[in-house]
Amino acid sequence: GENVEQHPSTLSVQEGDSAVIKCTYSDSASNYFPWYKQELGKRPQLIIDIRSNVGEKKDQRIAVTLNKTAKHFSLHITETQPEDSAVYFCAASIMEYGNKLVFGAGTILRVKS
Amino acid sequence: ETGVTQTPRHLVMGMTNKKSLKCEQHLGHNAMYWYKQSAKKPLELMFVYNFKEQTENNSVPSRFSPECPNSSHLFLHLHTLQPEDSALYLCASSLGTSGSTDTQYFGPGTRLTVL
């Protein structure tokens, strides 16, 4: 079936550095790509999303880029802070499943101060 | 946060017990979801309800039985579970039906341990 590959599984960066997480998907009809942040013991929360008619979207220190030709999208966090430490999940809408979301396995981001 | 609530937050049960998880959304949404979150695995969609009608059952074992009495409430009834069913069970809701691409809002989850 369709799945979403997410890399890396863990990422450690120094405070102030940038972090990049990448996801690939296989359904060329996918048109919605959200990113969720899940802090330890808390619920996943949407931090940014992008739709297929846009190549890039930015919200303060967070940006997402989408390459529909290559079928991959990335999360970019600049000027990382300790509170950015969490698990980040990407997801893609999969038309085969009636446009439902399929999630990546997650990336554990650790920001060292 | 009170948008999507879940009870209980933690549950320990034996393999012969029967228990239920409850989810309630206060957002006026029309679609509700049950996900299973296991360590180092992607979120797994279990069930989807649109306007309280079940539209998806991703090959979930019959020991998990969902119930959606109205568009604001969702239950997951559990019976004769296995230790491998231990996981975080997350409820979510979205404004549109699952065929749309509306944002899904998650509840805090129920941490289930099956002994």
Side-chain angles (χ1 to χ4, degrees):
Chain A
E2 301 293 337
N3 64 355
V4 174
E5 299 289 333
Q6 184 171 345
H7 299 281
S9 56
T10 59
L11 178 59
S12 290
V13 299
Q14 201 66 36
E15 182 178 0
D17 288 350
S18 295
V20 180
I21 303 170
K22 298 182 179 181
C23 288
T24 60
Y25 60 97
S26 53
D27 185 354
S28 58
S30 294
N31 60 1
Y32 176 59
F33 308 90
W35 285 90
Y36 284 84
K37 174 184 179 182
Q38 186 176 26
E39 297 178 47
L40 188 62
K42 296 191 175 181
R43 73 189 74 197
Q45 291 196 300
L46 181 75
I47 55 172
I48 197 167
D49 57 13
I50 192 167
R51 298 180 189 275
S52 59
N53 58 340
V54 177
E56 183 174 359
K57 184 176 178 181
K58 190 173 182 180
D59 182 3
Q60 299 183 339
R61 296 186 297 108
I62 295 173
V64 57
T65 58
L66 172 64
N67 184 328
K68 286 222 74 181
T69 302
K71 289 187 281 189
H72 67 70
F73 56 111
S74 299
L75 177 71
H76 305 254
I77 306 174
T78 59
E79 301 172 29
T80 53
Q81 301 167 4
E83 52 265 37
D84 294 329
S85 296
V87 181
Y88 291 82
F89 295 94
C90 65
S93 61
I94 304 296
M95 292 303 296
E96 177 184 337
Y97 298 158
N99 213 24
K100 295 177 178 53
L101 291 180
V102 176
F103 285 82
T107 296
I108 300 172
L109 174 64
R110 297 191 183 93
V111 180
K112 297 175 286 186
S113 56
Chain B
E1 299 178 55
T2 59
V4 182
T5 58
Q6 289 185 244
T7 54
R9 295 294 307 278
H10 301 272
L11 178 62
V12 180
M13 59 186 290
M15 289 190 286
T16 58
N17 292 158
K18 289 185 179 181
K19 297 287 183 181
S20 296
L21 310 184
K22 179 183 177 182
C23 175
E24 184 174 0
Q25 58 95 0
H26 310 271
L27 302 170
H29 288 173
N30 299 308
M32 297 187 77
Y33 313 76
W34 278 118
Y35 286 90
K36 177 183 179 182
Q37 186 176 34
S38 304
K40 299 183 180 180
K41 292 178 67 176
L43 281 163
E44 300 172 56
L45 180 64
M46 300 175 70
F47 300 104
V48 181
Y49 278 83
N50 295 316
F51 295 101
K52 70 179 183 177
E53 296 295 326
Q54 183 175 318
T55 61
E56 186 79 20
N57 175 344
N58 281 357
S59 302
V60 179
S62 59
R63 56 185 184 269
F64 295 91
S65 175
E67 178 190 359
C68 189
N70 54 62
S71 57
S72 298
H73 294 84
L74 185 64
F75 295 89
L76 188 62
H77 303 299
L78 316 171
H79 63 97
T80 59
L81 294 192
Q82 304 299 312
E84 58 264 30
D85 296 322
S86 299
L88 181 68
Y89 288 84
L90 289 161
C91 172
S93 70
S94 64
L95 178 61
T97 65
S98 64
S100 71
T101 56
D102 287 337
T103 299
Q104 292 186 25
Y105 294 85
F106 285 87
T110 295
R111 174 67 63 185
L112 174 67
T113 302
V114 181
L115 302 177

